Amino acid sequence: MASDNRKRAVLSAEDKKLRNRKRYLRRLRLRRILTVILVIGVVIELCVGLFAVRFLQKNLAGKPVLDPKDFISEESSKIYDSEGTLLTEIGTYYREN
């Protein structure tokens, strides 16, 4: 009886090692699968990004350059009503034209 208990203890220890090994391999396999999915996702993202940059370069070639100074007026804007009477002037500079 004592030898049977020892064999069971030995077998259970070996079973535990085998179960732990299988669990480790399962986790390792899952980690590899997730890593492959992540790498594929990054590669796809880089390809889409490069395509977008190339697309924008192609479509924006030959377009005029925007200068912020072109959008600032040195003259004030005048607002008139329907009868042609000046209501107000809007702008940073109130000048006579």
Side-chain angles (χ1 to χ4, degrees):
M1 277 246 172
S3 64
D4 286 339
N5 287 338
R6 287 183 193 161
K7 286 181 183 178
R8 287 182 189 166
V10 170
L11 287 177
S12 65
E14 289 176 4
D15 288 342
K16 286 180 184 179
K17 287 180 183 179
L18 185 61
R19 275 189 249 139
N20 287 340
R21 177 74 178 159
K22 285 182 180 180
R23 193 175 300 148
Y24 171 75
L25 290 175
R26 214 176 297 134
R27 286 181 187 165
L28 186 62
R29 188 178 312 133
L30 180 64
R31 191 174 299 160
R32 285 181 183 167
I33 290 171
L34 292 176
T35 302
V36 168
I37 290 171
L38 180 67
V39 167
I40 289 172
V42 168
V43 168
I44 289 172
E45 186 176 341
L46 286 173
C47 290
V48 169
L50 289 173
F51 176 76
V53 167
R54 182 68 181 139
F55 179 77
L56 289 175
Q57 283 178 345
K58 183 179 177 183
N59 286 333
L60 294 178
K63 302 287 186 218
V65 178
L66 295 178
D67 188 16
K69 293 178 184 177
D70 293 339
F71 296 102
I72 299 173
S73 174
E74 294 182 6
E75 298 178 1
S76 60
S77 299
K78 297 179 181 181
I79 299 177
Y80 295 93
D81 64 1
S82 62
E83 297 174 2
T85 309
L86 178 64
L87 294 176
T88 186
E89 290 187 33
I90 299 175
T92 54
Y93 301 106
Y94 298 108
R95 297 185 179 173
E96 298 270 336
N97 294 337

